[in-house]
């Protein structure tokens, strides 16, 4: 989605979102660099959605690393995207862009239970990426 408005809301307002993306890919990790390994693309927005299955039960914290404005949603009760709540938001493009900059509150999750997870980000120029870890 070309454009200079870098807010996530501009991505959500696009007539192409979410039903008509210009590209879809399958990722092996929650890392946009697996699709676009460099910064040659400009002015696009993206959604990464999938399933998080914790290997052990307990308190989980989610971390995000992004240079862009973006957010992370999780459904802490299961797979329904409608139940996803915002757990992280990058609302400024200020450095540093380290893993410890954006972290969620604790979520009690069960081993083997699938949970819906979704990240949205929008960038204009320069580095464009979203990476999530738990």
């Amino acid at each position: 989605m070309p454009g200079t408005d870098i807010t996530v809301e501009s991505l959500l307002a696009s007539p192409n979102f979410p039903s008509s993306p210009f590209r879809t890919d399958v990722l092996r990790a929650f890392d946009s660099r697996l699709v676009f390994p460099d910064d040659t693309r400009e002015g696009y927005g993206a959604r990464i959605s999938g399933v998080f299955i914790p290997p052990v039960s307990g308190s989980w914290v989610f971390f995000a690393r992004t240079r862009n404005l973006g957010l992370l949603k999780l459904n802490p009760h299961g797979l329904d995207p409608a139940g996803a709540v915002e757990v992280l938001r990058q609302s400024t493009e200020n450095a540093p862009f380290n893993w410890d900059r954006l972290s969620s509150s604790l979520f009690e999750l069960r081993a083997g239970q699938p949970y819906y997870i979704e990240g949205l980000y929008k960038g204009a120029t320069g580095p464009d990426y979203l990476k999530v870890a738990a």
Side-chain angles (χ1 to χ4, degrees):
M1 183 179 104
T4 58
D5 184 347
I6 61 171
T7 64
V8 171
E9 289 70 25
S10 71
L11 172 62
L12 298 173
S14 168
N16 296 331
F17 185 85
S19 302
S20 299
F22 78 91
R23 179 178 177 158
T24 59
D25 294 277
V26 176
L27 304 176
R28 67 181 184 277
F30 206 124
D31 183 351
S32 66
R33 287 292 192 195
L34 296 171
V35 177
F36 295 140
D38 58 35
D39 298 316
T40 58
R41 288 149 193 90
E42 303 294 354
Y44 71 95
R47 175 178 70 160
I48 301 172
S49 62
V51 176
F52 175 69
I53 302 173
V56 296
S57 294
S59 299
W60 285 83
V61 175
F62 292 86
F63 301 89
R65 187 168 186 226
T66 183
R67 162 85 169 67
N68 309 94
L69 303 182
L71 60 89
L72 181 69
K73 294 181 176 183
L74 174 76
N75 182 342
H77 306 292
L79 287 174
D80 186 1
V85 295
E86 187 175 309
V87 298
L88 294 173
R89 180 178 284 261
Q90 168 78 339
S91 56
T92 68
E93 288 188 286
N94 297 330
F97 304 110
N98 300 327
W99 284 106
D100 60 350
R101 167 108 190 246
L102 294 173
S103 61
S104 74
S105 58
L106 293 173
F107 289 92
E108 291 298 320
L109 304 178
R110 288 191 347 216
Q113 164 97 25
Y115 300 92
Y116 178 80
I117 190 167
E118 173 181 281
L120 301 168
Y121 72 100
K122 182 79 170 61
T125 60
D128 301 317
Y129 58 86
L130 176 61
K131 300 179 181 200
V132 174

